[in-house]
């Protein structure tokens, strides 16, 4: 059967198990899978192959501005009664986010940073409602992501090219999403092909520390039944060193590239087929030093790190009507990384290569049982494999060097078989009840049932109430069971434990949403989470090997987190909008009766925006406050509170073309390099400037169809509104625009006149 783990992408794992072969045969036989179908809400979900009465919108209009104006008919199974936070592509751009971790930095109740496990490798994780990052499930289009050393998916390794939005669900969600969703779920949703025409989106950005981004995405529908997407996202930045007195770097130099693509075939029948894949490659390079007794100079280590993450999926859906569907899907997610510690000016080096793969096959569906009841569910088979190899060149008597290669973790396999179901009950228009459960069988830990129930109601106009309960379950990862993290040169080793038990949690959430007037929203949410058998590293070494301490994973934890989240947003003075939020968090270690470390008790967030649509101008300011946190479980050491401020300014120059300037961490908040207990996140003070342009090419239409127009509602300009500004295309202020842009726009108008065989209206 070939190599299971190695330097090549192991597609053959998809076909090893009978369940996967069965699912693939169902797909090839013509069973189902459709992606969301976008339809205007006032058309009742119907779409038209030709241009509708409105002009073809820009890419960013489809993915952000029009979210409230469209209905998405999706075959994804969701709990509609549970509150969902959504980060749109527009918000991602405002924040200048290049990775998932950066996109979630300003979200209320979420802490995203690199300091959770700084002394154990420092992956960037996501903490929500005070829950540890390793207990948050990360998905891409509903597909599980694997990788990294401590059970945490490093969100700094997930670039956001070709991403339409990010959805966040807080609280235990194992009944719907399976193991690892013990604290919540983050789902990255990528762009689909448009319903018609072609959209081409490009970004070029330059910033401090030689940072740059080049992004290009295209989505097209060359035929009514065929959709194509493709994208490339390149990011790089030099290393950042805050203290020039030593060689240590505070942030690694990095380079990343992501290639993605997808095909959708939607013939004139209920069947839709889709295939997609992506490859992400990343290189990082940093430096750290270590002092040894008796030596005049410290040892200096270079730490290059390479990451390779390909994935692929196939799906088919049979859509019987607006509710009933069946979807079969297979996908494979592979992760390979090589981290190196190389002693400068010496042959001595240590490298560790990790191979991690997850393959999955599923059959899901939904069925309407009358006007007030929809049953959904499915079966799912998953298999994860892990192997870790270490290669070391060390000195023998300080003179001779010998190379030694060992297998730290022999190839290990964990497999699951799961069945889940939920019933969406709507006895009346203003009430929805959604009970559900999942049965999971794990080849190492046996079976478990995780139930959940949620409630949504709208007792009066302008008032929505929600409540939910969920049981969470997380099986120990293969890394926690078998991994050996050997940092003997730093004085410690962390090893796995094959006698671990699964973690469990009980999560309660309740909240209200109030709309006191148009363009205003007030939200309040309370939560209570209880965690049992938490897996963590026992802080007392289980043995000592000379000067090296050996630590082990154990089921040592009982904890609870509870508190509240409050947020208000409103528009004022026609063009201003404001958003403010506050989080109160209590996080308790019930074993020690102390506060869990690195959990701020208070968090404040604010956002102020000014937007002049007629002029194409926008300015946004962000502020974030976090209270002090405890560094250790004994509450003896604290890390200080901090405030960060960011700003963003955008000017549209022509249809689809815009320039923007961004300032990050204007307060220059950063950790003290000489204080290892300072856990403030590192965000360098920097500026960046960029331009992006989006081209929209509608299909050729008959003379009776309305052509692409520059005076649609989004881009119409009021007379005299922007005479003093550059960014007023095709309005009264057009004469103030640069001549080369004006000529280009006129050529574009003439070209579209010729293509559509008719003249534009004034």
């Amino acid at each position: 059967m070939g190599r299971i783990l190695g330097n090549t992408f192991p597609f053959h794992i998809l076909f090893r198990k009978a369940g996967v072969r069965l699912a693939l045969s169902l797909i090839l036989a013509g069973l189902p899978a459709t992606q969301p179908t976008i339809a205007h809400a006032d058309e009742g979900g119907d779409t038209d192959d030709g241009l509708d009465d409105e002009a073809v919108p820009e890419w960013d209009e489809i993915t952000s501005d029009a979210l409230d104006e469209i209905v998405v008919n999706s075959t994804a199974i969701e709990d509609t009664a549970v509150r969902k936070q959504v980060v749109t592509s527009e918000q991602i751009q405002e924040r200048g986010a290049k990775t998932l971790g950066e996109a979630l930095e300003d979200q209320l109740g979420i802490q995203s940073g690199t300091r959770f496990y700084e002394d154990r490798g420092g992956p960037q994780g996501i903490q929500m409602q005070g829950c540890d990052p390793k207990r948050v499930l990360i998905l891409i289009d509903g597909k599980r992501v694997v990788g990294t050393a401590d059970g945490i998916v490093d969100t700094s390794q997930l670039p956001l090219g070709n991403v339409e939005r990010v959805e966040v669900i807080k609280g235990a969600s194992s009944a719907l999403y399976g193991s690892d969703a013990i604290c919540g779920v983050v789902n990255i949703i990528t762009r689909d092909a448009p319903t018609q025409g072609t959209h081409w989106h490009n970004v070029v950005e330059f910033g401090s520390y030689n940072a740059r981004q080049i992004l290009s995405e295209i989505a097209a529908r060359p035929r009514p039944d065929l959709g194509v997407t493709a994208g490339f996202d390149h990011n790089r930045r030099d290393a950042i060193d805050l203290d020039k007195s030593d060689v240590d770097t505070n942030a690694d130099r990095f380079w990343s590239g992501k290639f993605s693509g997808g095909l959708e075939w939607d013939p004139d029948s209920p069947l839709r087929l889709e295939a997609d894949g992506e490859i992400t490659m990343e290189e990082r390079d940093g430096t750290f030093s270590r002092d040894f007794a008796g030596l005049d100079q410290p040892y200096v280590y270079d730490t290059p790190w390479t990451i390779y993450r390909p994935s692929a999926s196939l799906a088919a859906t049979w859509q019987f009507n607006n509710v009933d569907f069946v979807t079969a899907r297979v996908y494979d997610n592979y992760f390979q990384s090589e981290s190196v510690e190389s002693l400068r000016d010496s042959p001595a080096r240590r490298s560790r290569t990790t191979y991690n793969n997850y393959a999955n096959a599923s059959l899901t569906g939904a069925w309407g049982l009358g006007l007030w009841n929809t049953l959904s569910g499915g079966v799912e088979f998953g298999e994860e494999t892990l192997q870790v190899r270490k290669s070391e060149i060390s000195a023998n008597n300080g003179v001779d060097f010998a190379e030694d290669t060992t297998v730290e973790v022999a190839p290990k396999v964990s497999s699951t078989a799961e069945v889940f179901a939920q019933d969406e009950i709507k006895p009346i228009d203003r009430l929805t009840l959604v009970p559900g459960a999942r049965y999971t069988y794990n080849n190492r830990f046996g079976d478990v049932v995780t139930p959940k129930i949620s409630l949504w109601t709208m007792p009066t106009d302008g008032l929505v109430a929600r409540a939910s309960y969920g049981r969470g379950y997380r099986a120990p990862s293969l890394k926690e069971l078998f991994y050996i993290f050997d940092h003997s040169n730093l004085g410690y080793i962390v090893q796995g434990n094959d006698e671990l038990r699964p973690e469990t949690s009980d999560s309660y959430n309740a909240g209200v949403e109030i709309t006191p007037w148009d363009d205003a929203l007030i939200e309040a949410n309370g939560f209570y989470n209880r965690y049992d058998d938490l897996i963590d590293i026992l802080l007392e070494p289980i043995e000592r090997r000379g000067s090296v301490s050996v630590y082990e994973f154990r089921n040592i934890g009982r904890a609870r987190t509870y508190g509240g989240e409050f947020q208000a947003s409103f528009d004022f003075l026609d063009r201003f909008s404001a958003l403010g939020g506050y989080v109160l968090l209590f996080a308790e270690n019930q074993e020690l009766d102390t506060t869990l470390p690195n959990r701020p008790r208070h968090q404040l967030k604010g956002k102020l925006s000014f937007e002049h649509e007629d002029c194409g101008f926008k300015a946004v300011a962000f502020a974030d406050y976090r209270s002090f946190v405890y560094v250790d479980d004994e509450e003896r050491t604290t890390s200080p509170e901090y405030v960060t401020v960011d700003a963003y300014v955008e000017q549209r120059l022509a249809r689809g073309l815009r320039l923007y300037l961004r300032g990050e961490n204007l307060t220059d908040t950063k950790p003290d390099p000489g204080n290892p207990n300072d856990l403030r996140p590192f965000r360098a003070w920097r500026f960046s400037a960029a331009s992006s342009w989006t081209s929209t090419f509608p299909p050729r239409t008959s003379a009776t169809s309305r052509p692409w127009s520059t005076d649609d509602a989004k881009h119409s300009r009021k007379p005299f509104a922007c005479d003093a500004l550059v960014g007023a295309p095709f309005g009264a202020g057009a004469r103030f625009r640069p001549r080369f842009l004006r000529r280009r726009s006129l050529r574009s108008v003439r070209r579209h006149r010729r293509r559509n065989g008719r003249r534009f209206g004034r």
Side-chain angles (χ1 to χ4, degrees):
M1 291 184 290
R3 295 191 313 173
I4 296 178
L5 298 160
N7 294 325
T8 58
F9 182 28
F11 284 101
H12 63 278
I13 292 180
L14 285 170
F15 313 107
R16 292 181 56 216
K17 295 296 180 182
V20 178
R21 292 198 298 267
L22 174 61
L24 183 60
S25 66
L26 292 175
I27 290 179
L28 296 178
L31 270 177
T34 205
Q35 276 303 99
T37 301
I38 298 178
H40 287 279
D42 57 1
E43 294 174 350
D46 296 330
T47 59
D48 189 353
D49 290 337
L51 288 173
D52 45 41
D53 291 337
E54 297 298 328
V56 178
E58 288 191 37
W59 188 308
D60 65 319
E61 293 172 45
I62 293 179
T63 58
S64 58
D65 298 334
L67 281 178
D68 296 331
E69 302 172 7
I70 58 177
V71 174
V72 178
N73 255 339
S74 175
T75 57
I77 296 177
E78 299 178 331
D79 187 341
T80 58
V82 173
R83 181 176 180 269
K84 181 189 301 179
Q85 286 182 240
V86 178
V87 184
T88 66
S89 59
E90 183 180 23
Q91 293 172 309
I92 291 172
Q93 177 177 289
E94 290 174 355
R95 296 297 296 170
K98 307 298 186 298
T99 66
L100 175 62
E102 294 175 352
L104 297 176
E105 281 180 349
D106 70 327
Q107 293 302 298
L108 195 66
I110 296 177
Q111 186 174 357
S112 176
T114 60
R115 306 288 295 196
F116 296 111
Y117 293 90
E118 192 69 23
D119 58 335
R120 306 170 196 161
Q124 185 181 67
I126 295 172
Q127 185 187 99
M128 61 176 66
Q129 293 186 347
C131 188
D132 196 87
K134 72 169 69 175
R135 298 169 180 94
V136 176
L137 179 62
I138 307 296
L139 307 172
I140 299 179
D141 290 328
K143 302 182 285 286
R144 184 183 298 259
V145 179
V146 297
T148 75
D150 197 19
I152 301 173
V153 175
D154 194 335
T155 56
S156 68
Q157 300 170 3
L158 300 177
L160 294 179
N162 200 36
V163 170
E164 177 181 324
R165 66 186 185 276
V166 179
E167 299 177 347
V168 179
I169 299 175
K170 298 175 182 176
S173 305
S174 293
L176 197 57
Y177 297 98
S179 180
D180 296 344
I182 194 170
C183 296
V185 178
V186 177
N187 191 12
I188 303 171
I189 308 297
T190 60
R191 302 187 198 275
D192 292 325
T195 56
Q196 56 188 3
T198 300
H199 299 279
W200 186 29
H201 179 62
N202 303 274
V203 175
V204 177
E205 180 172 331
F206 298 92
S208 306
Y209 303 101
N210 200 24
R212 67 190 68 169
Q213 180 188 27
I214 300 174
L215 181 146
S216 184
E217 303 166 354
I218 188 168
R221 191 162 293 276
R223 301 185 336 202
D225 63 345
L226 181 64
V228 181
T229 60
F232 168 71
D233 185 8
H234 165 70
N235 290 277
R236 63 143 297 165
R237 189 204 62 221
D238 290 344
I240 302 175
D241 186 3
L242 299 180
D243 186 359
K244 302 298 182 180
S245 64
D246 58 36
V247 298
D248 295 14
T249 55
N250 299 95
D252 294 346
R253 177 196 67 84
F254 82 91
W255 173 97
S256 70
K258 174 184 174 181
F259 300 87
S260 59
L263 290 173
E264 302 173 9
W265 183 50
D266 190 6
D268 190 16
S269 70
L271 175 66
R272 167 172 279 198
L273 302 176
E274 99 177 281
D276 62 75
E278 67 177 45
I279 298 177
T280 301
M281 297 167 287
E282 183 173 327
E283 295 180 0
R284 293 177 178 264
D285 191 4
T287 304
F288 75 93
S289 60
R290 183 173 173 81
D291 294 314
F292 291 92
L295 296 179
D296 296 334
Q297 295 181 341
Y299 277 10
V300 178
Y301 293 89
D302 295 312
T303 57
W305 188 12
T306 58
I307 297 164
Y308 175 60
R309 189 192 293 273
S311 64
S313 73
L314 299 171
T317 293
W318 192 276
Q319 185 86 44
F320 302 103
N321 51 49
N322 288 337
V323 177
D324 302 345
F325 73 90
V326 178
T327 297
R329 183 185 299 274
V330 292
Y331 70 88
D332 192 284
N333 193 321
Y334 179 67
F335 173 83
Q336 177 178 316
S337 71
E338 181 182 19
S339 59
V340 177
E341 293 176 4
S342 177
L343 181 61
R344 188 172 293 181
D345 301 325
S346 169
R349 69 191 300 271
R350 173 189 291 134
S351 66
R352 178 177 286 101
T353 306
T354 300
Y355 309 97
N356 196 191
N357 192 87
Y358 181 76
N360 179 280
S362 63
L363 185 65
T364 60
W367 303 268
L369 305 178
L371 298 177
W372 55 274
N373 199 1
T374 302
L375 180 67
S376 58
V379 296
E380 188 174 349
F381 304 92
E383 179 184 88
E384 183 179 3
T385 58
L386 174 71
Q387 180 181 355
V388 182
R389 293 200 300 245
K390 185 183 75 171
S391 177
E392 186 171 9
I393 300 176
S394 57
N396 183 15
N397 298 324
V399 178
D400 300 325
F401 289 85
E403 182 173 3
D404 179 41
T405 300
T406 59
V407 177
E408 288 190 329
V409 179
K412 300 294 182 180
V413 178
S414 175
S415 59
T416 58
E418 302 174 277
V419 180
F420 69 96
Q422 74 171 15
D423 192 8
E424 183 176 305
I425 305 170
K426 294 185 176 181
I428 58 177
D429 288 341
R430 293 175 178 263
L431 178 66
T432 301
L433 183 67
V434 186
R438 176 181 289 256
Y439 168 82
T440 301
Y441 174 79
N442 185 288
N443 68 323
R444 296 184 180 276
F445 303 101
D447 52 7
V448 66
V449 175
T450 50
K452 63 107 175 173
I453 187 169
S454 57
L455 173 72
W456 176 95
T457 181
M458 182 185 288
T460 63
D461 292 341
L463 175 63
V464 172
R466 304 175 189 266
S468 65
Y469 162 78
R471 178 78 168 168
Y473 167 84
R474 189 180 80 90
S477 67
L478 289 173
K479 297 179 173 98
E480 292 169 331
L481 293 170
F482 305 109
Y483 199 54
I484 300 177
F485 191 69
D486 188 352
H487 262 203
S488 299
N489 63 316
L490 299 179
Y492 70 92
I493 296 174
V494 179
Q495 65 184 29
N497 180 2
D498 59 3
E499 297 182 357
L500 293 172
R501 301 183 303 276
E503 299 177 340
T504 59
S505 72
D506 293 281
S507 177
Y508 303 85
N509 283 266
V512 294
E513 301 172 13
I514 304 172
T515 307
W517 62 85
D518 291 343
D519 299 325
L521 178 64
I522 300 173
E523 299 176 83
N525 183 68
F527 58 88
Y528 178 89
N529 303 296
R530 184 178 65 246
Y531 311 100
D532 295 307
D533 287 327
L534 292 180
I535 299 170
D536 207 342
I537 298 173
L538 188 65
L539 296 180
E540 294 295 328
I542 61 173
E543 65 174 303
R544 296 188 184 275
R545 302 172 186 173
S547 61
V548 178
S549 299
V550 180
Y551 301 88
E552 185 179 61
F553 285 99
R554 295 282 182 89
N555 290 101
I556 60 174
R558 287 189 308 116
R560 65 176 181 176
T561 64
Y562 57 95
E565 300 175 357
F566 310 92
Q567 181 168 287
S569 60
F570 58 94
D571 298 341
F572 62 100
L573 297 180
D574 191 33
R575 295 187 174 93
F576 287 88
S577 63
L579 182 147
Y582 169 70
V583 177
L584 176 64
L585 172 65
F586 297 91
E588 301 175 357
N589 184 331
Q590 293 182 287
E591 295 288 337
L592 302 176
D593 194 23
T594 58
T595 300
L596 291 171
N598 201 19
R599 272 79 169 176
R601 176 68 55 84
H602 306 282
Q603 177 186 356
L604 284 168
K605 287 182 177 291
K607 175 182 176 181
L608 180 64
S609 303
F610 171 82
E611 183 172 10
H612 198 306
E613 291 188 358
D614 297 322
C615 300
F617 177 79
K618 184 177 184 179
V620 187
F622 306 88
D624 184 7
Y625 165 79
R626 311 268 175 120
S627 63
F628 77 92
V629 299
Y630 290 105
V631 175
D632 58 345
D633 290 312
E634 288 78 22
E635 300 183 354
R636 293 179 298 185
T637 310
T638 62
S639 177
E641 63 185 2
Y642 67 88
V643 175
T644 59
V645 175
D646 302 334
Y648 171 85
V649 177
E650 172 189 307
Q651 177 63 61
R652 293 175 183 258
L653 296 182
R655 180 180 175 86
L657 174 64
R658 56 187 171 187
L659 302 179
Y660 48 91
L661 179 68
R662 184 183 300 112
E664 301 180 44
N665 193 17
L666 302 181
T667 54
D668 198 23
T669 300
K670 57 182 178 291
D672 180 1
N675 181 8
N677 295 318
D678 191 342
L679 300 183
R680 287 177 294 179
F682 175 75
R683 294 184 62 214
W685 181 92
R686 61 182 181 179
F687 279 95
S688 59
S691 65
S692 70
W693 62 98
T694 302
S695 300
T696 302
F697 307 101
R700 292 179 180 272
T701 60
S702 64
T704 59
S705 299
R706 181 181 176 182
W708 177 88
S709 174
T710 58
D711 58 353
D712 55 73
K714 176 70 178 178
H715 291 278
S716 62
R717 265 51 179 181
K718 298 178 181 178
F720 69 82
C722 303
D723 286 0
L725 295 176
V726 172
F730 306 108
R735 60 183 179 274
F736 292 96
R737 298 173 62 232
R739 184 173 298 277
F740 77 95
L741 284 176
R742 190 157 69 245
R743 286 201 299 264
R744 181 177 300 174
S745 301
L746 292 175
R747 287 197 301 269
S748 177
V749 171
R750 296 189 186 105
R751 181 172 63 252
H752 282 282
R753 284 176 176 173
R754 290 194 300 271
R755 287 181 177 177
N756 293 279
R758 59 177 294 182
R759 297 182 61 188
F760 283 91
R762 292 181 62 85

